[in-house]
Amino acid sequence: MIYIVMGVSGSGKTTIGRLLANALHLPFYDADNFHSKENIKKMAAATPLTDEDRQQWLETLAGNIKLWSKEGGAVLACSALKEKYRIILQSIPSDALTWIVLKGDKIIIKNRIVERKDHYMPGSLLQSQLNELEVPEYGIHTDISSSPEEIVQDILEKINKPLSEFGFIGMGVMGTNLALNLASKGIPVAIYNRQVMGIEEGIAQKVADDNPDLKNIIPFDDLQLFVSSLSKPRKILIMIKAGDAVEHLLFALTPLLSEGDVVIDGGNSYFKDSERRFEDLKAKKIHFLGVGISGGEEGARNGAAMMAGGSLEGYKIAAPYLEFMSAKDKNGDPCVGFTGAGGAGHFIKMVHNSIEYAEMQAIADVYFLCKHYLKLSPVQMVEVFNNWEEDGCESYLLSITIQILQKKEGNDYLLDLILDQAEQKGTGNWSATTAIDLGIPYGPLMEAVMARSVSARKKERNKLASLYADQPGLNKKTATITVDQIKHAYKSARLINHHIGFDTLQKASDIFKWDLPLAEIARIWTNGCIIRSALMEDLIDILSDTTSLLSHSFIIEQLKFFKKDFVSTVTESMKNDITIPVLASALNYFLSIKTADSSANLIQAQRDYFGAHTYKRKDKSAEEYFHTKW
Ligand code: 6PG
């Protein structure tokens, strides 16, 4: 299709034409650039062109229109004032050429001509152009009093261009791969990335250029055009950095949306922000979904796990697309679901990451023991972990660890070259502070976060290591615990970590009245996400029976069986200066939570002693408080 944007000088043909070409992904041409030198000289001298002057120019354009049409289309900005000029330009079948007529008030046009500095056409020629203009009855007529973007939006609506079904904002690793994932399923998608000169330029276009097979990806760097390219109700997935960036984006995006549109924040946003955004957009009758997405780059491209919270109505609209982008469980069902109102989706993702942090550190603890206590080589560790995988420990995180252990760079193992300073993006911290706020004991997570913080103090560790001269390692000739005992400790820590994760979900569900479906969340987490594992498969059934894993007979039986080895592993590690933050913390949690009579009576007595904070008594009613003059 050839689109000719026509109108008098100053009506905005070039600006509108360029934007339209951008939105339609067609090349843009300006008819002014096809004038002969003589014509340009005449116009610059404020001498109106005659029909003879225009003849050659129009014929050249007509030839090019034929050519551009064969090449797939174009947008041409051309005054085309008279019908007889348009007849010359109509060098292709009429259904292959659309006329877009810009109409507007003479004063507006004159002001625009006065303002523009880089054009040879003086304002004095406007009247002669207006005199010559024969406004066609055909074509798309649009008023030029609004902004260029609004005019283009109006044109796009009028030309009935096929719209994209789903939009993505933010072409980072996750956004790009999710867009490619959906586009590869044949869905027409629009992608947008902001344009920041010198930093982020032409990013969306590059994604489209890098994937020439996916012709159903339409790139934008103009937010308004991106929005207008989407069919209603619009479904827009935002994948940008959590925090201020989401705030600013929503501020710019919301006014461009219509009632009933669905905005999906797929980043790792803080659940309280999602709660607030859900309410803000609800007031504007726009559906907001906070969707926790897990699976990294590979999951985004081939199928991720997605936990949606917010507007149920919005979820129903977006669900078919989210299902396309999700991983599938062992029954072939999509690993995505509506899990609760407000910020529930992002809360669940935060807990996913809590389990993830502790699972990662538990493997790191085991690796450290194997390395410094059992003195295993990487090859031996790979053999051990492969055996563990076959004995119920199968998980994505353990399987990537096996790959990592084997990676070499020349003669060296890459792992030995990687600096031992762990970084973090923030979800672990949020989880830790949220657990404290909600009064949820979450030792293994705290220790996993703290382990990263301690690791960051490399210089201090180096100094103290030499001051204390205690390097981790076996202090005796032979190890007194075996690989199997360590495996039992690892399995125990995992059970406890998963117990606390789901317990956190249950407590939050009670507090925020989310009614979280724990078994369904476990099902969603069986594929696509970072914490997928054989254990997670088992938890679906267990969580259908109970919300407390530690109270389930299957778990009780296992923990009782493993306990001796769990304790031996932790104590033996401590004796040998081997730090195992998550294994130790999980054991301590386990021992504390199953202690009926704890030491907290002394804490209460101390509080009452120095602060008259009062205490309750075992031998009196549960509501009554007492104070003693100690
Ligand atoms: C996932 C991951 C992912 C994680 C980032 C940053 O589920 O795909 O949890 O979302 O948040 O990889 O993790 P760090 O906090 O370790 O930087």
Side-chain angles (χ1 to χ4, degrees), residues 174 267-268 293-297 305 307 349 352-353 356-357 360 423-429 452 528-531:
M174 291 297 282
N268 276 338
I293 300 183
S294 174
E297 183 175 359
M307 296 70 79
K349 176 66 193 339
H352 167 284
N353 282 27
E356 173 188 300
Y357 266 55
M360 289 168 74
E423 299 183 9
Q424 49 192 314
K425 289 224 174 89
T427 48
N429 279 354
R452 293 195 191 191
C529 70
I530 304 297
I531 58 171

Side-chain angles (χ1 to χ4, degrees), residues 10 18 132 146 150 228 233 316 329 374 436 455 546 626 629:
R18 266 191 218 290
E132 286 187 342
S146 36
E150 281 164 340
S228 59
K316 286 179 186 158
D329 70 11
L374 296 179
I436 290 172
S455 82
T546 178
F626 297 88
K629 291 201 179 313

Side-chain angles (χ1 to χ4, degrees), residues 46-99:
T47 313
L49 296 181
T50 64
D51 286 354
E52 291 73 50
D53 294 330
R54 287 185 171 121
Q55 186 64 29
Q56 186 54 45
W57 173 63
L58 290 166
E59 281 169 12
T60 307
L61 287 172
N64 278 310
I65 285 170
K66 265 191 198 162
L67 191 76
W68 298 331
S69 176
K70 277 194 201 125
E71 286 171 351
V75 175
L76 172 69
C78 178
S79 51
L81 298 176
K82 294 185 188 175
E83 183 59 19
K84 63 180 179 188
Y85 303 162
R86 294 192 285 270
I87 291 171
I88 301 173
L89 294 175
Q90 187 76 61
S91 56
I92 52 174
S94 60
D95 61 354
L97 196 157
T98 299
W99 293 93

Side-chain angles (χ1 to χ4, degrees), residues 270-272 347 350 428-440 446 504 508 512:
Y270 185 47
F271 78 101
K272 286 193 178 161
F347 188 93
M350 192 176 73
N429 279 354
W430 288 345
S431 309
T433 50
T434 304
I436 290 172
D437 286 349
L438 301 183
I440 297 167
M446 307 284 174
T504 304
F512 300 115

